Amino acid sequence: MRVLQVSSEATPFAKTGGLADVAGALPDSLGRAGCDCTLVVPAYREVFEKNLPIQKTNIQFSVPVGKRTLEAIVYSCSLPNQNHKVFLVGNKHCFDRDTLYGGAEDYTDNAERFIFFSRAVMELAARQPDPFDIIHCHDWQTSLVPAYQKLLYKSWPTLSEARSILTIHNVGYQGMFWHWDMLLTGFHWKYFNWRQLEFYGQLNMLKAGIVFADQITTVSPTYAKEIQAAPGGCGLEGVLQERASDLTGIVNGIDTKLWNPKADEFIPCHYGIDNVQDGKYAARVALAARLGHAAPDERPLLAFVGRLAEQKGVSLVIDLLHRMAGSGMARFVVLGAGDPQFQESLKIVSSQYPEAIDVVIGFDEVLAHLIQAAADILLMPSQYEPCGLAQLYAFRYGTIPIVRATGGLVDTVVNVSDQTCADGTASGFVFDAFEPATLEAAVRQAIDAHRNTKLWQELIRCVMQQDWSWDVSARKYQEVYSQALANAPVDVVDVR
Ligand code: ADP
């Protein structure tokens, strides 16, 4: 099966969140499973600053974007032990910038940038010698790809038989732009209607993907249900309900090479189940040094690593710090970047309780690994969470998550109870209501459990044994691809 993966970010090239982890690992896993897989990502400025073996190919072409044409320069990269091909699409105007999508404010021309990228991918695919069976795109940035394939590129022999798959990593980000950006897409205005590209007067790229893709997946079974109703669907619940029979939830895997305490280059002492205490202690010492402390303290260490967005429950974390930092029961470390107001509030609370809280603002992959290894407990009080990767990394590093019962957290974390402890399935502390008091109660329960050394060691043993590698998820994606190929392509409806 020939599969084209299209993503706006992928490790190790460029990353702002979990999408990059997925797009970086899934193609390789599919490659190992026998698929002939090619990944295409934008050639952002930062990909050239990472010492990766990126080479210019002789593929170059013009891409129409509205009345202009933009040049696409295609690079390739082959990494050691890589089981798939990688192409990077460059254009200085679109991608030679400081960040991927903008800073505190998105770049004002993001519609143009990702229209260019999506269309460039079609032009690149059309120029490949062999046809693709599957074109798999991710999130709003590449959601126009299924529409391009069906509306403008159907006659190209290498694309005519392909089926398109859209994976929604977060329906909260839809790529909505003013209606005049339709002119940049090259689509006929007749597709700007309530059943296709239009959403309350705006161009909605994610909706285009949902309508035109042959199969849709999202990143956990529970999230697949949540997005078919308000408020989980963020306005697209009706469109998603219409595609319910083609919508599948598949929990993300994790890259077990990158996130492996037995071989992690970012932690001081490698460890497995048998020497977890030593490994975690060494990480605690290194983390204390990194944060400017003479030595780690004895209290349980609770961590938060993630985007500083309301979705991640940052307001609950800040409230928790105010409620508990003075109690002396625990130490807290927060690593994150995002909403300036959250950044400010976190700095303020950490300055009030310097003996209990460390806050690091920024995106720091090395520190993220060190914190996962050093912490006892990971906080994920998300308002909603399509899948969540941090709790799966936590398992591998023997760190017990406290999560809210939402989306992928429901599908991956089993609440500690007498029953689940007895049958060895317990893997974390799960709370329901999105409220400071319920988070605090879960934290107090976890700290109590931490005092029970035998119980805690059993929990660690249980989570470290779990297998969340990509192989299981990649098999499920292959089933979706087979289903898409077995079905006729989705019809393009003529809405009048
Ligand atoms: P999302 O994709 O919604 O941000 P996920 O839990 O799926 O959330 O994935 C988040 C990924 O980004 C994880 O790999 C996590 O370690 C990483 N991450 C988030 N914030 C930071 C940060 N400030 N520094 C380093 N890594 C981070």
Side-chain angles (χ1 to χ4, degrees):
M1 198 183 290
R2 270 175 57 79
V3 179
L4 182 67
Q5 294 276 344
V6 191
S7 177
S8 62
E9 53 183 275
T11 52
F13 304 103
K15 167 169 170 173
T16 66
L19 166 62
D21 292 348
V22 174
L26 175 61
D28 204 50
S29 194
L30 289 168
R32 272 200 307 280
C35 288
D36 179 355
C37 200
T38 303
L39 168 70
V40 194
V41 290
Y44 300 108
R45 181 189 298 167
E46 66 175 78
V47 305
F48 297 106
E49 294 167 349
K50 292 188 170 157
N51 219 0
L52 295 163
I54 293 174
Q55 290 187 323
K56 200 166 167 186
T57 68
N58 55 11
I59 311 172
Q60 188 165 341
F61 46 81
S62 306
V63 179
V65 180
K67 288 201 173 120
R68 295 205 288 165
T69 55
L70 297 176
E71 273 312 281
I73 299 167
V74 180
Y75 301 83
S76 67
C77 180
S78 75
L79 299 165
N81 306 321
Q82 179 182 280
N83 295 300
H84 62 283
K85 289 190 242 13
V86 176
F87 285 127
L88 301 102
V89 174
N91 174 278
K92 275 198 173 309
H93 161 70
C94 290
F95 301 131
D96 188 16
R97 302 191 185 188
D98 288 343
T99 62
L100 271 55
Y101 311 120
E105 299 283 319
D106 287 347
Y107 293 131
T108 50
D109 58 352
N110 273 347
E112 181 187 36
R113 296 171 74 225
F114 290 102
I115 286 168
F116 162 76
F117 178 62
S118 300
R119 202 155 175 184
V121 169
M122 301 315 290
E123 295 282 337
L124 175 61
R127 285 169 169 76
Q128 293 303 296
D130 297 312
F132 286 101
D133 300 302
I134 295 291
I135 303 173
H136 185 167
C137 54
H138 299 264
D139 275 353
W140 72 263
Q141 294 90 337
T142 59
S143 274
L144 290 185
V145 164
Y148 276 124
Q149 191 227 354
K150 288 208 165 63
L151 303 181
L152 295 184
Y153 287 83
K154 196 71 189 160
S155 57
W156 288 75
T158 49
L159 294 170
S160 57
E161 289 305 314
R163 300 292 191 273
S164 55
I165 314 291
L166 167 70
T167 295
I168 301 171
H169 296 259
N170 190 333
V171 79
Y173 299 87
Q174 300 180 0
M176 282 214 268
F177 301 97
W178 75 331
H179 61 287
W180 290 116
D181 283 339
M182 263 301 280
L183 293 171
L184 301 177
T185 63
F187 296 131
H188 194 285
W189 272 106
K190 71 178 180 181
Y191 298 111
F192 192 73
N193 65 70
W194 69 281
R195 295 201 62 192
Q196 288 164 324
L197 301 185
E198 186 259 357
F199 186 73
Y200 294 99
Q202 291 193 287
L203 169 65
N204 185 318
M205 295 202 189
L206 190 68
K207 179 175 171 183
I210 296 169
V211 171
F212 286 101
D214 294 307
Q215 289 278 328
I216 302 152
T217 72
T218 187
V219 288
S220 69
T222 298
Y223 192 59
K225 283 189 215 125
E226 288 172 354
I227 61 178
Q228 292 179 58
C234 299
L236 291 180
E237 51 274 4
V239 191
L240 285 156
Q241 272 164 29
E242 279 208 26
R243 299 297 318 271
S245 58
D246 300 319
L247 172 61
T248 314
I250 301 176
V251 170
N252 288 330
I254 58 171
D255 188 327
T256 48
K257 280 188 255 168
L258 271 181
W259 293 93
N260 178 8
K262 287 187 180 151
D264 190 327
E265 59 177 309
F266 303 134
I267 64 174
C269 165
H270 293 153
Y271 64 93
I273 288 183
D274 295 332
N275 61 342
V276 53
Q277 304 304 340
D278 298 342
K280 286 185 95 58
Y281 184 74
R284 283 284 269 275
V285 173
L287 179 64
R290 166 78 204 266
L291 297 172
H293 308 304
D297 66 34
E298 296 292 310
R299 292 172 290 177
L301 180 62
L302 279 72
F304 173 91
V305 178
R307 284 183 293 117
L308 300 181
E310 185 55 27
Q311 179 213 331
K312 297 286 175 186
V314 181
S315 57
L316 291 194
V317 173
I318 293 168
D319 202 279
L320 179 81
L321 295 175
H322 281 290
R323 284 164 175 252
M324 289 195 67
S327 73
M329 290 169 77
R331 186 156 195 111
F332 298 88
V333 57
V334 176
L335 167 63
D339 188 327
Q341 280 186 353
F342 285 141
Q343 296 186 178
E344 201 44 43
S345 306
L346 284 164
K347 281 188 207 152
I348 291 170
V349 67
S350 69
S351 68
Q352 283 168 350
Y353 301 100
E355 69 300 335
I357 308 174
D358 288 293
V359 168
V360 180
I361 301 296
F363 193 93
D364 188 329
E365 188 85 33
V366 178
L367 193 53
H369 284 243
L370 190 57
I371 290 174
Q372 284 281 12
D376 298 297
I377 293 166
L378 183 80
L379 299 170
M380 289 187 79
S382 305
Q383 203 171 45
Y384 72 94
E385 192 60 76
C387 176
L389 290 171
Q391 82 280 16
L392 305 180
Y393 301 145
F395 290 158
R396 216 145 145 79
Y397 285 73
T399 302
I400 308 301
I402 296 179
V403 305
R404 197 174 88 76
T406 179
L409 299 174
V410 171
D411 297 324
T412 54
V413 183
V414 177
N415 190 32
V416 170
S417 69
D418 291 345
Q419 176 64 39
T420 57
C421 284
D423 63 23
T425 55
S427 61
F429 297 85
V430 184
F431 68 98
D432 263 309
F434 187 76
E435 283 164 15
T438 41
L439 171 61
E440 184 183 343
V443 168
R444 287 182 183 275
Q445 187 195 352
I447 292 173
D448 267 352
H450 182 263
R451 291 196 191 102
N452 180 342
T453 313
K454 188 160 168 291
L455 167 70
W456 201 258
Q457 279 173 355
E458 208 31 63
L459 265 179
I460 289 179
R461 177 170 286 279
C462 176
V463 297
M464 287 184 82
Q465 273 168 349
Q466 298 194 5
D467 177 7
W468 293 99
S469 64
W470 263 106
D471 298 343
V472 181
S473 310
R475 266 199 301 280
K476 293 190 176 152
Y477 275 105
Q478 282 179 290
E479 285 165 21
V480 171
Y481 298 164
S482 302
Q483 187 63 48
L485 289 167
N487 295 348
V490 161
D491 281 336
V492 175
V493 180
D494 209 1
V495 180
R496 288 180 195 278

